[in-house]
Each structure stands twice: as C-alpha cells, then as structure tokens.
Amino acid sequence: MTAAQQRPFKVLGIQQVAIGGTDKSRMKKLWVDMLGLEQTGTFQSERENVDEDILSMGRGAMKVEVDIMQPLDLDKKPAVHTTPLNHIGLWIDDLPRAVEWLTAQGVRFAPGGIRPGAAGYDICFLHPKSNDEFPIAGEGVLIELVQAPADVIAALG
C-alpha cells in the first residue's frame, strides 16, 4: 500500500495566500482599492512578529484569504517581509491526524505546533527546509495547514 493510500486526511483546497512587505498600506492600495478584495479582519502577534490585514475573495466554502503582512519590528524574526510570497495555506479536513501522520512520514514542521491562527482556525506550518531528522519539507516554501470548518469540509470534501 502506498503512502497516499494510507493518508488519514485530505487536502481540500487553498485557504489563503500570504504576502509580506514592509508597508501593508501599499499592498492594501492594490488588493483592496484596485482589485476590490474585502477586508474581513486584522491580526497582530508579537510572537509571530506580524501586523496583518485579512482580505477575502469569493464566498462561503469557496472564499480564499489574501493576507497582507508587515513585521511589527523590522529587525526581529520571523521576518514576514523578507519573501514577498510569505506562505500558502491549505484547508485540511483533520489537522491533528495530518500532523501526526506527516510527522511519522518524516515531514518537518516549523516550531509552534497546532495553534489558533489569525482567522480563528487552528493552524500549523510545514518548515520550508528539511534536515537530517525530517527529510521532507516545503523546499523553500512555508506551507500553512489550516483546519477546515464543517462547511468547507462539506463543500470540498
């Protein structure tokens, strides 16, 4: 049996795309004023060193976030502004099972574990770089796994 046949969870779709920069007001000019996305929230976290506006497009289970982010402190880590495309978020139908299974398969996760995310869903991150202990990672891309709510699971599952 292949690993894919044993996988105890399902990736349902894209939950978000996060874009980092030093001045989110410039990004907001494009994404809100020019492209017409709706701002649905804000989020600040000293732990994550982020000041974030949560934008959205689409509706219901088909809604996708575009999170525009700037660091609270340019000199601290994580440096959410150092890569313009900061990370991509994927809806997951069973986040705890996904983390357990992926870890057992050798997937490297970023520190922090499962925790509440900016939009109120539980999240965790796959590390962008592998190491000897965990040889599978995002190959340069930070990937956020997001626990899908029931309506998204019903629509996309």
Side-chain angles (χ1 to χ4, degrees), residues 76-101:
K76 289 188 177 175
K77 300 272 185 196
V80 300
H81 62 294
T82 58
T83 52
L85 178 58
N86 185 273
H87 65 271
I88 187 166
L90 302 175
W91 286 125
I92 302 295
D93 65 346
D94 189 334
L95 185 59
R97 285 183 72 188
V99 170
E100 179 182 6
W101 187 83

Short mmCIF file of all heavy atoms in Angstrom, two decimals, residues 76-101:
data_model
loop_
_atom_site.label_atom_id
_atom_site.label_comp_id
_atom_site.label_asym_id
_atom_site.label_seq_id
_atom_site.Cartn_x
_atom_site.Cartn_y
_atom_site.Cartn_z
N LYS A 76 13.36 41.89 13.90
CA LYS A 76 13.08 40.65 14.61
C LYS A 76 12.63 39.55 13.67
O LYS A 76 12.22 39.80 12.55
CB LYS A 76 11.99 40.88 15.67
CG LYS A 76 12.47 41.70 16.86
CD LYS A 76 11.42 41.72 17.94
CE LYS A 76 11.92 42.49 19.15
NZ LYS A 76 10.89 42.62 20.16
N LYS A 77 12.70 38.32 14.16
CA LYS A 77 12.22 37.14 13.43
C LYS A 77 10.89 36.70 14.05
O LYS A 77 10.68 36.94 15.23
CB LYS A 77 13.23 36.00 13.55
CG LYS A 77 14.59 36.32 13.00
CD LYS A 77 14.67 36.01 11.57
CE LYS A 77 16.12 36.24 11.11
NZ LYS A 77 16.32 36.33 9.76
N PRO A 78 10.01 36.03 13.36
CA PRO A 78 10.11 35.77 11.93
C PRO A 78 10.01 37.07 11.13
O PRO A 78 9.34 38.00 11.53
CB PRO A 78 8.95 34.83 11.63
CG PRO A 78 8.05 34.86 12.81
CD PRO A 78 8.81 35.44 13.94
N ALA A 79 10.68 37.07 10.00
CA ALA A 79 10.74 38.25 9.13
C ALA A 79 9.70 38.08 8.02
O ALA A 79 10.02 37.62 6.93
CB ALA A 79 12.14 38.42 8.57
N VAL A 80 8.46 38.45 8.32
CA VAL A 80 7.35 38.20 7.38
C VAL A 80 7.48 38.98 6.08
O VAL A 80 6.77 38.70 5.12
CB VAL A 80 5.97 38.49 8.03
CG1 VAL A 80 5.75 37.61 9.25
CG2 VAL A 80 5.83 39.96 8.40
N HIS A 81 8.40 39.93 6.04
CA HIS A 81 8.55 40.79 4.87
C HIS A 81 9.69 40.37 3.95
O HIS A 81 9.85 40.93 2.87
CB HIS A 81 8.79 42.23 5.33
CG HIS A 81 10.05 42.39 6.13
ND1 HIS A 81 10.19 41.80 7.37
CD2 HIS A 81 11.21 43.03 5.87
CE1 HIS A 81 11.38 42.10 7.85
NE2 HIS A 81 12.03 42.84 6.96
N THR A 82 10.50 39.38 4.34
CA THR A 82 11.70 39.08 3.56
C THR A 82 11.41 38.28 2.29
O THR A 82 12.22 38.29 1.38
CB THR A 82 12.75 38.32 4.40
OG1 THR A 82 12.18 37.12 4.90
CG2 THR A 82 13.25 39.20 5.54
N THR A 83 10.29 37.61 2.24
CA THR A 83 9.87 36.98 0.98
C THR A 83 8.49 37.52 0.65
O THR A 83 7.56 37.40 1.46
CB THR A 83 9.81 35.44 1.10
OG1 THR A 83 9.02 35.10 2.24
CG2 THR A 83 11.19 34.85 1.29
N PRO A 84 8.33 38.13 -0.51
CA PRO A 84 7.02 38.73 -0.82
C PRO A 84 5.87 37.73 -0.75
O PRO A 84 4.83 38.05 -0.19
CB PRO A 84 7.20 39.26 -2.24
CG PRO A 84 8.66 39.51 -2.35
CD PRO A 84 9.31 38.42 -1.54
N LEU A 85 6.05 36.52 -1.30
CA LEU A 85 5.03 35.49 -1.12
C LEU A 85 5.43 34.73 0.13
O LEU A 85 6.31 33.88 0.11
CB LEU A 85 4.94 34.54 -2.31
CG LEU A 85 3.91 33.41 -2.16
CD1 LEU A 85 2.51 33.96 -1.92
CD2 LEU A 85 3.93 32.51 -3.37
N ASN A 86 4.81 35.09 1.26
CA ASN A 86 5.27 34.57 2.54
C ASN A 86 4.92 33.11 2.71
O ASN A 86 5.77 32.32 3.09
CB ASN A 86 4.68 35.40 3.67
CG ASN A 86 5.21 34.99 5.01
OD1 ASN A 86 4.67 34.09 5.63
ND2 ASN A 86 6.29 35.62 5.45
N HIS A 87 3.67 32.73 2.46
CA HIS A 87 3.29 31.32 2.58
C HIS A 87 1.96 31.08 1.89
O HIS A 87 1.26 32.00 1.54
CB HIS A 87 3.23 30.87 4.05
CG HIS A 87 2.18 31.53 4.88
ND1 HIS A 87 2.38 32.70 5.56
CD2 HIS A 87 0.90 31.18 5.14
CE1 HIS A 87 1.28 33.05 6.21
NE2 HIS A 87 0.37 32.13 5.96
N ILE A 88 1.66 29.80 1.71
CA ILE A 88 0.37 29.40 1.15
C ILE A 88 -0.32 28.55 2.21
O ILE A 88 0.32 27.78 2.91
CB ILE A 88 0.55 28.64 -0.18
CG1 ILE A 88 -0.81 28.38 -0.84
CG2 ILE A 88 1.36 27.38 -0.01
CD1 ILE A 88 -0.70 27.95 -2.28
N GLY A 89 -1.63 28.73 2.35
CA GLY A 89 -2.41 27.98 3.34
C GLY A 89 -3.32 26.97 2.65
O GLY A 89 -3.98 27.29 1.67
N LEU A 90 -3.34 25.76 3.19
CA LEU A 90 -4.17 24.68 2.63
C LEU A 90 -5.21 24.24 3.64
O LEU A 90 -4.89 24.00 4.81
CB LEU A 90 -3.28 23.49 2.26
CG LEU A 90 -2.14 23.74 1.28
CD1 LEU A 90 -1.29 22.49 1.14
CD2 LEU A 90 -2.68 24.20 -0.06
N TRP A 91 -6.46 24.12 3.20
CA TRP A 91 -7.51 23.56 4.05
C TRP A 91 -7.22 22.08 4.27
O TRP A 91 -6.97 21.35 3.31
CB TRP A 91 -8.87 23.67 3.38
CG TRP A 91 -9.52 25.00 3.33
CD1 TRP A 91 -9.96 25.64 2.21
CD2 TRP A 91 -9.89 25.84 4.42
NE1 TRP A 91 -10.56 26.83 2.54
CE2 TRP A 91 -10.53 26.98 3.91
CE3 TRP A 91 -9.72 25.75 5.81
CZ2 TRP A 91 -11.01 28.00 4.71
CZ3 TRP A 91 -10.19 26.78 6.61
CH2 TRP A 91 -10.83 27.88 6.06
N ILE A 92 -7.30 21.62 5.51
CA ILE A 92 -7.09 20.22 5.86
C ILE A 92 -8.32 19.73 6.61
O ILE A 92 -8.84 20.43 7.49
CB ILE A 92 -5.83 20.06 6.76
CG1 ILE A 92 -4.59 20.61 6.06
CG2 ILE A 92 -5.65 18.61 7.19
CD1 ILE A 92 -4.18 19.85 4.81
N ASP A 93 -8.81 18.54 6.29
CA ASP A 93 -10.04 18.06 6.92
C ASP A 93 -9.84 17.59 8.36
O ASP A 93 -10.77 17.65 9.16
CB ASP A 93 -10.72 16.97 6.08
CG ASP A 93 -9.90 15.70 5.95
OD1 ASP A 93 -8.69 15.70 6.29
OD2 ASP A 93 -10.46 14.69 5.51
N ASP A 94 -8.65 17.13 8.72
CA ASP A 94 -8.38 16.66 10.08
C ASP A 94 -6.94 17.02 10.43
O ASP A 94 -6.02 16.22 10.25
CB ASP A 94 -8.60 15.14 10.17
CG ASP A 94 -8.55 14.61 11.58
OD1 ASP A 94 -7.90 15.23 12.46
OD2 ASP A 94 -9.16 13.55 11.82
N LEU A 95 -6.75 18.23 10.95
CA LEU A 95 -5.41 18.76 11.18
C LEU A 95 -4.59 17.92 12.17
O LEU A 95 -3.44 17.60 11.88
CB LEU A 95 -5.48 20.23 11.61
CG LEU A 95 -4.14 20.94 11.77
CD1 LEU A 95 -3.35 20.93 10.48
CD2 LEU A 95 -4.38 22.37 12.25
N PRO A 96 -5.12 17.54 13.34
CA PRO A 96 -4.30 16.74 14.25
C PRO A 96 -3.82 15.42 13.64
O PRO A 96 -2.66 15.04 13.80
CB PRO A 96 -5.23 16.50 15.45
CG PRO A 96 -6.19 17.65 15.42
CD PRO A 96 -6.40 17.92 13.95
N ARG A 97 -4.71 14.74 12.92
CA ARG A 97 -4.30 13.48 12.27
C ARG A 97 -3.28 13.74 11.17
O ARG A 97 -2.35 12.95 10.99
CB ARG A 97 -5.52 12.76 11.70
CG ARG A 97 -6.34 12.10 12.81
CD ARG A 97 -7.50 11.33 12.27
NE ARG A 97 -7.01 10.10 11.61
CZ ARG A 97 -7.78 9.30 10.91
NH1 ARG A 97 -9.07 9.56 10.77
NH2 ARG A 97 -7.29 8.21 10.35
N ALA A 98 -3.44 14.84 10.46
CA ALA A 98 -2.49 15.19 9.40
C ALA A 98 -1.10 15.43 9.99
O ALA A 98 -0.10 14.90 9.47
CB ALA A 98 -2.96 16.42 8.65
N VAL A 99 -1.03 16.19 11.08
CA VAL A 99 0.26 16.48 11.70
C VAL A 99 0.92 15.19 12.22
O VAL A 99 2.11 14.96 11.99
CB VAL A 99 0.11 17.52 12.83
CG1 VAL A 99 1.39 17.65 13.65
CG2 VAL A 99 -0.30 18.87 12.25
N GLU A 100 0.14 14.37 12.87
CA GLU A 100 0.67 13.10 13.40
C GLU A 100 1.21 12.23 12.27
O GLU A 100 2.33 11.71 12.34
CB GLU A 100 -0.44 12.37 14.16
CG GLU A 100 -0.01 11.04 14.73
CD GLU A 100 -1.15 10.31 15.44
OE1 GLU A 100 -2.31 10.77 15.40
OE2 GLU A 100 -0.87 9.26 16.02
N TRP A 101 0.44 12.06 11.22
CA TRP A 101 0.83 11.18 10.12
C TRP A 101 2.02 11.76 9.36
O TRP A 101 2.97 11.04 9.04
CB TRP A 101 -0.36 10.95 9.20
CG TRP A 101 -0.10 9.93 8.14
CD1 TRP A 101 -0.18 8.57 8.27
CD2 TRP A 101 0.30 10.18 6.78
NE1 TRP A 101 0.13 7.97 7.08
CE2 TRP A 101 0.43 8.92 6.15
CE3 TRP A 101 0.54 11.32 6.05
CZ2 TRP A 101 0.80 8.80 4.82
CZ3 TRP A 101 0.92 11.20 4.73
CH2 TRP A 101 1.04 9.95 4.12
#
